[in-house]
Structures are given as structure tokens and as C-alpha cells.
Amino acid sequence: MKTKKTIAQLCLLLSISAFSCEEKGVEEDPSKGDKVEIMAKSFNASIEEGKPQGVTIGKVEASVSSGELIYEIESQQPEGAIAINSSTGEITIADESNFSYELNQSITGMLKLSSGNTEKLIDFIIYIREVKTIEVTTITGHNKPGFVNGNGSSVRFNIISSICLDKDDNIYITEFNNHCIRKITPEGTVTTIAGTGVEGFVNGKGDIAQFSNPQGIDIDAQGNLYVSDAGNDAVRKITPDGNVSTFAGGEEGHKDGIGTEAQFVNLEGLTIDDEGNVYVADVSTIRKITPSGEVTTLAGAQEEGYADGKGTNARFYYIFDIDIDSKGNLYACDARNEKIRKITPSGEVSTAKMIDDKGDSIDQFTWGIALNEKDEIYVASDVFTIHRLYADGFFPIVAGKKGVKGGVDGGKEEALLKFSRVMALDSKGDIIFADPHKLRKVSFK
């Protein structure tokens, strides 16, 4: 799990959808000698937490070839959460105490549909949406780019390209145009810990070291920072005392190997697992670097495309950012395919579902992704919005307004984002994001 990252959330919409493969129950009516068929779909729906008893969640889609349908609840977990109208199939809240996201993220079970002697069982799942208010504020920085340390609006950044946080909520950033690594304390004091502001490729301590368009950043359990130094095609390591070395790479190409024998093409997002393995997005591949510096290709190939599968059989089309969950699964912003991809520790690649509040599938160009300790996923898009991605694919906006560019602080209705490409989550689960020369925060209340 990143302590990062390079954003738990508000859902204000009631989303109800029903979909899956249609199934049939068939039985002969012995009194008539004909067949009775029940056609029904699994029931999937979502609802905001905190709704009172009696609120309608949705209606089962079903039909019968002859006779009347009777709807019953065969089983449910937790017990007594929902009720169903036996004649219409309308599902309502029976026990509102079960509809709390903190207690239950979903209600599951089986429904029984019957007509005469014909019966059919279908499964159901009702996702509970967390409801929180938000406030967007500015931590430090200014709309005008520059290279100035200090506090508040006097600070100048020049395109913040990645963010991570340590256990004490100190923020570390890479700056694309200032070619440096900066630190921001919880009190808002900004200092430069490595780099000079001048592009180069020099190892050494603090302001001796030089970088070239650094991108991804993350921190390990020992406090070492790892940076994808894109312009130098290298992964750099910064120790807690500020000493910079080349951990892997240093020449352009696509080659696995040990340390500086390895080659990279165009490095982007970076994350670290609990065992100290570094994962870095390299155009359309994901590379893994062990603590000893061995570089391998976990998934993808140099050929761009779109294909799920294992290892180098999978295809991506420009990965901007990656993060990792508590089980070691990676999630990637496959930007030009407009997808979120999941990569297991063994390299199996799949595509995460993304749906709107009507249950319709959507595609979205995404820049940044971050997971919290609960494995809740937040995503930054190219339409000036930050989203949450639920387990069932629901993809609501957390902050910003789609297609409306701005730098306005405030609540959900007022806040506007300018260029929220990268983000991280602090110890409270609040989202720290870059916009693009300022650090801003989405606080959940």
C-alpha cells in the first residue's frame, strides 16, 4: 500500500441498475400439460447510505410465460435488511440500520421467483454508497510557476508531476520543470531535498544531485524515496539523509537486467509494495525492480494496444500512473485506452469496470490513481474532476465539475480544478493533489 499517493468519498447520487445474463426456470404444469417459463435477471443495485425504512431500491426484472409471479426472499446477508413486494418484485429497505457504509458495503442474497410449481432462484447484490461532504482548499503554491521555497502563496512550483506522503504526513513531490524533489511539512513549509533546478544526471547529496524531468515518486518503509527520472531513463534512490544514487537504468531502451544494466523507455508513475519491490510504468509496460535491483517486465509489451492477459501477452496504450492495494494488486491508468487496468502479483491483467449512475459503461482518460488503507480507489481525469471507483465499477465525481476548468476552493458545488493530474492520500484519507503549480486538498467530512 502506498503511503502516497500520485487521493473515503462522497456519493450524492442514487444509482440503480440491473444487469447480467438472463436465465430461465422451466417446469410443466401437470394440470395443463404445457410448460411454464420464468425469465429473470440477477438483481444489482446501489443506494446511498442513510436512507430510511421503506425507500425503494429497485425492481426485479422478470416475466413468466403464463400465470402470476410470486417474489420472495430466499436468503439475505445481513438478515432483515430488505423486503420485497410479493406481487410486484419491488425491493425496499426493511432495516435502515444495515444501510451504513461503515457497517456494510453491500447487501447480498438470493431471491425466489415462483409461478405454480415452477420456481427459480436468482442472486442479488445491493451496493451501499458512502456519503460525505467535501471541502477543497489550497495547501501552498501559486498559479504562477517558479522555484521558491517557503510557506503559503509565496512558494512557487513548476508543474508538480507526482506526490507521496510518509507516515508523518510529510509530502514529497517531483517537479517536472524544476528537475527537483521538494518536501512540504504538515505545517506547509517547503524545502528542496534534492536537485538544483537545473536539468542533469548527477548523483550525490542534496543540491549536488541533478535530475531530468522527474515523474513518479514513492517512499519505502525505511524512508527511502524512489523517483522515476524520466529524462534520464533511470530510477533514482534518495536516502533519508538526502544522498541520491541510480537504482536502475540510465540509458534509453527496453532491457531487463540488474541495476544500471537495465534500460527504460519513458518512465511515468511509480509505487512500492510492502516487500520493497518497486513498480514503474514505462510507456506501455509495467516494470518490477526487486530490492536488489533486478529489473523484469511484469506486464505489457513495447507494442501499444489493448488486451487483457498474462504478462507480456497483455497490452496497454500509455500508462500514466500506478498504485498498489493491500493484496499486492496494481492498478494502472491506461490513459489512451481510457481504462483502469488491474495487474495481479503474477502479472495477470484485467480491465476494471467503470459505470455511470445509470449503470451504463463509460470510458475515461485518466491521469492519476491512488488507493487508501481500505483499498478504496480514487482517480484523476482529464476533464478537471477527481472520481472514486467502487468495486462494482460505479465512477462518481468526488470533486470538480466535468469540463469546467478553474482553481476555485470551496465545497462540492463551488470547487473547480485546473489540472488535477497527480494525487496522494494522507493518513486521514484526504486527497492531496497538484493543480498544477499548487498543492491542494480534498478534505472529507
Side-chain angles (χ1 to χ4, degrees):
M1 171 68 60
K2 285 187 180 178
T3 50
K4 202 191 164 186
K5 175 117 173 36
T6 193
I7 47 171
Q9 173 189 42
L10 170 72
C11 292
L12 296 175
L13 297 173
L14 170 65
S15 170
I16 298 174
S17 58
F19 44 86
S20 86
C21 297
E22 187 174 86
E23 302 177 11
K24 296 181 179 181
V26 181
E27 184 168 314
E28 291 188 2
D29 185 333
S31 64
K32 297 182 179 180
D34 55 2
K35 292 182 178 180
V36 177
E37 295 187 22
I38 297 175
M39 287 71 71
K41 295 180 178 181
S42 301
F43 180 80
N44 292 307
S46 63
I47 188 169
E48 290 179 352
E49 65 177 346
K51 298 294 182 181
Q53 180 178 343
V55 167
T56 298
I57 300 171
K59 185 177 179 180
V60 178
E61 292 186 7
S63 61
V64 64
S65 60
S66 63
E68 299 294 327
L69 271 177
I70 297 174
Y71 300 86
E72 301 173 83
I73 297 172
E74 180 75 7
S75 64
Q76 59 176 304
Q77 182 62 39
E79 289 291 336
I82 64 167
I84 192 167
N85 186 302
S86 61
S87 58
T88 67
E90 183 179 80
I91 294 175
T92 56
I93 294 175
D95 183 354
E96 61 190 63
S97 67
N98 287 309
F99 285 79
S100 163
Y101 184 83
E102 185 176 353
L103 295 177
N104 303 301
Q105 294 184 22
S106 63
I107 311 294
T108 60
M110 299 292 294
L111 303 174
K112 183 170 77 172
L113 286 59
S114 62
S115 180
N117 294 324
T118 303
E119 295 182 352
K120 177 174 181 55
L121 294 177
I122 61 170
D123 59 355
F124 74 86
I125 183 166
I126 301 164
Y127 292 95
I128 299 170
R129 306 300 186 200
E130 189 173 27
V131 176
K132 291 187 177 182
T133 58
I134 70 155
E135 185 75 19
V136 178
T137 56
T138 298
I139 299 171
T140 189
H142 193 276
N143 287 327
K144 183 179 178 180
F147 189 12
V148 180
N149 290 321
N151 292 275
S153 60
S154 64
V155 171
R156 296 291 185 272
F157 302 109
N158 197 341
I159 303 185
I160 300 168
S161 46
S162 192
I163 307 170
C164 74
L165 287 88
D166 66 18
K167 59 183 177 59
D168 297 318
D169 279 344
N170 292 296
I171 301 168
Y172 300 88
I173 65 167
T174 54
E175 278 186 83
F176 191 81
N177 284 342
N178 280 334
H179 314 291
C180 69
I181 315 303
R182 317 272 286 276
K183 176 182 178 180
I184 302 92
T185 67
E187 296 74 32
T189 300
V190 180
T191 56
T192 302
I193 64 170
T196 63
V198 177
E199 185 176 9
F201 191 9
V202 178
N203 289 322
K205 197 165 185 177
D207 59 4
I208 295 174
Q210 290 184 334
F211 300 84
S212 175
N213 304 129
Q215 293 275 25
I217 188 170
D218 203 3
I219 190 166
D220 68 13
Q222 289 73 44
N224 299 299
L225 292 165
Y226 292 83
V227 174
S228 52
D229 189 6
N232 289 319
D233 303 303
V235 175
R236 314 285 289 280
K237 178 180 179 179
I238 308 171
T239 61
D241 64 355
N243 192 60
V244 179
S245 60
T246 301
F247 185 57
E251 291 186 9
E252 184 177 357
H254 184 86
K255 179 182 177 184
D256 292 339
I258 304 295
T260 55
E261 295 176 359
Q263 294 177 345
F264 302 98
V265 178
N266 191 3
L267 297 171
E268 292 281 353
L270 180 150
T271 190
I272 303 172
D273 68 18
D274 292 338
E275 297 177 354
N277 296 298
V278 176
Y279 301 87
V280 63
D282 187 17
V283 189
S284 296
T285 63
I286 293 175
R287 315 289 290 279
K288 176 181 178 179
I289 312 170
T290 66
S292 62
E294 181 181 1
V295 180
T296 56
T297 301
L298 178 66
Q302 288 185 276
E303 299 83 12
E304 298 166 337
Y306 173 57
D308 290 337
K310 190 165 185 177
T312 55
N313 292 321
R315 292 292 182 272
F316 303 89
Y317 192 5
Y318 212 99
I319 306 165
F320 270 118
D321 198 16
I322 57 175
D323 204 353
I324 195 164
D325 70 13
S326 61
K327 300 178 180 65
N329 299 300
L330 295 167
Y331 290 84
C333 292
D334 188 2
R336 290 177 181 165
N337 279 323
E338 300 186 335
K339 306 289 185 183
I340 300 297
R341 314 290 290 279
K342 177 181 178 181
I343 305 96
T344 67
S346 64
E348 190 70 39
V349 179
S350 58
T351 301
K353 180 195 284 186
M354 291 192 294
I355 58 174
D356 62 18
D357 59 347
K358 297 178 181 179
D360 296 328
S361 179
I362 58 175
D363 295 327
Q364 181 64 61
F365 189 104
T366 56
W367 295 106
I369 190 164
L371 281 74
N372 63 17
E373 292 179 350
K374 298 178 182 178
D375 290 340
E376 295 165 343
I377 303 171
Y378 295 89
V379 180
S381 80
D382 69 331
V383 290
F384 320 116
T385 52
I386 293 172
H387 298 250
R388 179 169 173 182
L389 180 60
Y390 281 85
D392 66 332
F394 188 44
F395 196 62
I397 293 174
V398 178
K401 289 182 172 59
K402 185 176 181 180
V404 182
K405 184 178 181 180
V408 180
D409 289 343
K412 183 173 177 61
E413 296 304 316
E414 301 85 23
L416 296 175
L417 314 184
K418 184 176 290 185
F419 187 69
S420 54
R421 174 178 170 181
V422 296
M423 59 189 180
L425 300 176
D426 67 14
S427 61
K428 296 179 181 178
D430 294 337
I431 302 169
I432 312 297
F433 68 98
D435 202 21
H437 311 306
K438 295 193 294 185
L439 275 177
R440 302 176 72 191
K441 176 192 283 192
V442 180
S443 299
F444 294 102
K445 300 178 180 179

